[in-house]
Amino acid sequence: MMRTPVTEMFGIELPVFAFSHCRDVVVEASRAGGMGVLGAAWMTPDELEVALKWIDEKIGGRPYGVDLVFPGTFAADADEDDPQRLVPQGHRDFIGKVIDRAQIPPLPAEDAAQFNRENAAKMRMTPLESERALEIALRHPVKFVVGAMGVPPKHVIDRVHARGIKVGGLIGAVKHAVRQRDAGVDVLIAQGSEAGGHVGRISSMVLWPQVVDAVAPLPVLAAGGIGRGRQFAAAMALGVAGVWCGSIWLGTRESELNPEMKQRMFGAASEDAVVSEALTGKPCRILKSAYTEAWDQPGAPKPLTFPLQSILVGEPLRRAERAHRLDYWTYAVGQIVGDMKSETSVRQIFADLLTEYVAAVDHVTELTAEAE
Amino acid sequence: MMRTPVTEMFGIELPVFAFSHCRDVVVEASRAGGMGVLGAAWMTPDELEVALKWIDEKIGGRPYGVDLVFPGTFAADADEDDPQRLVPQGHRDFIGKVIDRAQIPPLPAEDAAQFNRENAAKMRMTPLESERALEIALRHPVKFVVGAMGVPPKHVIDRVHARGIKVGGLIGAVKHAVRQRDAGVDVLIAQGSEAGGHVGRISSMVLWPQVVDAVAPLPVLAAGGIGRGRQFAAAMALGVAGVWCGSIWLGTRESELNPEMKQRMFGAASEDAVVSEALTGKPCRILKSAYTEAWDQPGAPKPLTFPLQSILVGEPLRRAERAHRLDYWTYAVGQIVGDMKSETSVRQIFADLLTEYVAAVDHVTELTAEAE
């Protein structure tokens, strides 16, 4: 039991937020006294409804959140379903050849067509579609709606607030934090450059206190580089109201991540979590692989803009995964991957976080008794 | 007064190490209860002797250190003094045109020749020259000899140890930490990617605990992103024995940094401290300027290898500085530059570090009392 502005805000025991695309992680995190936040940005409306219903059945009334994307503008033609027409032929040829050369078999033609339709529909998110996802979320007892990218539109924030629900926003720079605060966001998640997924350039150590000071008294959650209790303690010392972890849940038994990919992560060093535009078209920290390296070779085309790159690479990556060629797959993960060594559980991570947190704080308390 | 393995090792009051090229910063840091470490890597033997003599006169018998480079191999011809012959014509033309286009006047021919001779001599460091610097340092009551780059050779470590002096080494990755530990280094300085100067890719938040665990019980100093007491407290919570700061001293009145450059730093955001190979040929975090951006333009040549790039760019940068065109100059600085807002003093920084450190620890101690 710790008391901070966010434990008060949400009625939770520990200021630990677990971002995950896996419903079991969300449930277990909330049951462990923290708060699970479902990464729903790329779910179809049907998938989201199923996941939230499942969560409601298992979570025992504990609070949880949903992470969505509220796009401002959108580059590609919203009426176009065929990814083959959305992306340039040269890019398709390049990545096709990379995967062919690795002797990874194509998908059966029918699977490929269906996969591409679904992938394009997910990735080609429009404001209308994200608001449809929000409406589904609001039919469930969600307590926290987080915008994964950019400032949510005013009418979205108003709609969520009208239901008594808090709004969060992920940011990687002070100026974005101020913009979100001014738009009415209740909790900022300040994400350092060591985080997995879309990242800014400022490290957690420098970014967190800057954001805390810039938006005070608004509560700030610390994200990026947190996998153990010492980092949890360091974050609290830097002045945040709680921590937001994503990568560490990938290695739990509750995680639905491809088990072969879990093994690759357990063998990876922090240096293997590289920033690349190869997955989405935006700088995104992902696990290095033959796929990411192909885009760094001389002569490789520049990745397309977001979300066209995601539409382009969906099928080749699906081929690699299906053929168990995880050396050609990738997945978003932060530098903390170097500390993930074997499968664990959400509950065990919470226990370890808290034990090491207390030891770390006892350690600095002793040092400081002599300093005063 | 704090007690950690490094305060015990060096007989200092606070585990705060101040890396600086400015002798006044070294003296003031040691007098404030920490330990100044003179960055002497690019000093001539005469300059080093003068600086150490001055330090000895002012420091009142307090311990201090010296930071040197012990190069393994060296790429360029050690007998060649003329930088015009060391670097390719195409590179010289490129950077010459950039500076000409900015209408920055050339140096007087005689000044240019002398500057280039001196610059090449400094940058073109050979093992023999660095050991000559070491011999000068060992004539003074230095307590800490730090290798700024790579593992010092065994005979260097033995020579320093034979005098009862401790050896430190800067590293940015766990595998380098282990290599230095195995070579007999006494204190490791784990430098996160947010630091100024030559950097690795792992952030402080992730790197420090990894290094602490990998080399325990060897003491580790935390470097990269530390400019205030909350960061000092976070570092200690992450398990290090002390902190190593470099950038924050640049903005003090004791710093000999070009005053116009100080002003540029006070106006800079953390995003302006960019990793570039434009200054030395190795990834080095420096202040963004028209000079660094010129190397990022399409068509710009790839920077030369270290130390040829330093030899190449010495004269154009000297021209920019001399013409008060600091928009075309640059200097190594970490992301903490975003927190440096006006001139202060070494003593004030120590006072602020300690005050905020104590407040941060009190804060987490209170939180944890409820957690236990």
Side-chain angles (χ1 to χ4, degrees), chain A residues 128-164:
Chain A
L128 200 69
E129 281 162 344
S130 77
E131 286 173 37
R132 216 174 124 207
L134 176 65
E135 290 310 313
I136 291 169
L138 294 181
R139 280 187 234 135
H140 295 264
V142 164
K143 294 283 180 284
F144 193 25
V145 171
V146 178
M149 211 185 271
V151 183
K154 183 175 184 306
H155 70 274
V156 167
I157 295 178
D158 290 346
R159 171 112 178 85
V160 176
H161 279 166
R163 305 284 292 261

Side-chain angles (χ1 to χ4, degrees), chain A residues 137-336:
Chain A
L138 294 181
R139 280 187 234 135
H140 295 264
V142 164
K143 294 283 180 284
F144 193 25
V145 171
V146 178
M149 211 185 271
V151 183
K154 183 175 184 306
H155 70 274
V156 167
I157 295 178
D158 290 346
R159 171 112 178 85
V160 176
H161 279 166
R163 305 284 292 261
I165 299 170
K166 299 296 181 186
V167 178
L170 258 92
I171 53 90
V174 170
K175 65 176 179 224
H176 299 151
V178 171
R179 217 174 285 160
Q180 297 246 5
R181 190 258 326 262
D182 293 347
V185 169
D186 305 289
V187 179
L188 287 171
I189 300 123
Q191 181 176 267
S193 53
E194 52 270 76
H198 292 127
V199 285
R201 284 173 292 154
I202 310 306
S203 79
S204 290
M205 187 62 58
V206 173
L207 180 70
W208 297 342
Q210 283 182 357
V211 174
V212 167
D213 291 353
V215 302
L218 216 62
V220 174
L221 303 181
I226 303 172
R228 50 195 308 165
R230 277 181 275 173
Q231 287 147 347
F232 181 13
M236 301 311 287
L238 287 162
V240 299
V243 296
W244 170 282
C245 304
S247 301
I248 47 169
W249 319 111
L250 294 173
T252 63
R253 58 183 171 75
E254 288 88 355
S255 159
E256 295 156 27
L257 180 67
N258 182 311
E260 295 169 65
M261 195 62 182
K262 280 188 195 175
Q263 292 305 322
R264 287 186 70 83
M265 287 193 177
F266 297 148
S270 291
E271 284 82 354
D272 297 323
V274 296
V275 174
S276 168
E277 296 178 7
L279 186 61
T280 68
K282 283 176 186 279
C284 188
R285 195 175 291 282
I286 58 182
L287 198 68
K288 188 169 79 174
S289 72
Y291 165 78
T292 66
E293 294 196 312
W295 289 92
D296 294 331
Q297 294 308 309
K302 199 175 138 44
L304 301 171
T305 53
F306 175 83
L308 294 179
Q309 181 75 6
S310 299
I311 293 172
L312 167 69
V313 303
E315 183 184 339
L317 288 175
R318 178 74 192 100
R319 277 172 66 182
E321 188 191 9
R322 187 170 162 282
H324 302 276
R325 289 296 301 276
L326 281 290
D327 54 329
Y328 275 82
W329 209 54
T330 187
Y331 201 86
V333 73
Q335 291 188 336
I336 200 71

Side-chain angles (χ1 to χ4, degrees), chain B residues 161-176:
Chain B
H161 280 165
R163 305 283 294 259
I165 299 170
K166 299 296 181 187
V167 178
L170 258 93
I171 53 90
V174 170
K175 65 177 180 223
H176 299 151

Side-chain angles (χ1 to χ4, degrees), chain A residues 1 3 194 201 203 205 210 213 230-231 237-238 270 335 339 357-358 361 365 367-368 370-372, chain B residues 1 3 194 201 203 205 210 213 230-231 237-238 270 335 339 357-358 361 365 367-368 370-372:
Chain A
M1 186 74 195
R3 191 174 299 182
E194 52 270 76
R201 284 173 292 154
S203 79
M205 187 62 58
Q210 283 182 357
D213 291 353
R230 277 181 275 173
Q231 287 147 347
L238 287 162
S270 291
Q335 291 188 336
D339 287 0
Y357 172 88
V358 171
V361 173
T365 305
L367 285 177
T368 315
E370 303 180 44
E372 280 174 308
Chain B
M1 184 77 193
R3 192 174 297 184
E194 52 270 76
R201 283 172 294 154
S203 79
M205 186 62 57
Q210 283 184 356
D213 291 353
R230 275 182 275 173
Q231 287 147 347
L238 288 163
S270 292
Q335 290 188 338
D339 287 0
Y357 172 88
V358 171
V361 173
T365 305
L367 285 177
T368 315
E370 302 181 46
E372 280 174 308

Side-chain angles (χ1 to χ4, degrees), chain B residues 265-300:
Chain B
M265 288 194 176
F266 297 148
S270 292
E271 284 83 354
D272 296 323
V274 297
V275 174
S276 167
E277 298 179 5
L279 186 59
T280 69
K282 283 175 185 280
C284 189
R285 194 175 292 282
I286 58 182
L287 198 68
K288 188 168 79 174
S289 71
Y291 165 78
T292 65
E293 295 195 310
W295 289 91
D296 293 331
Q297 293 308 309

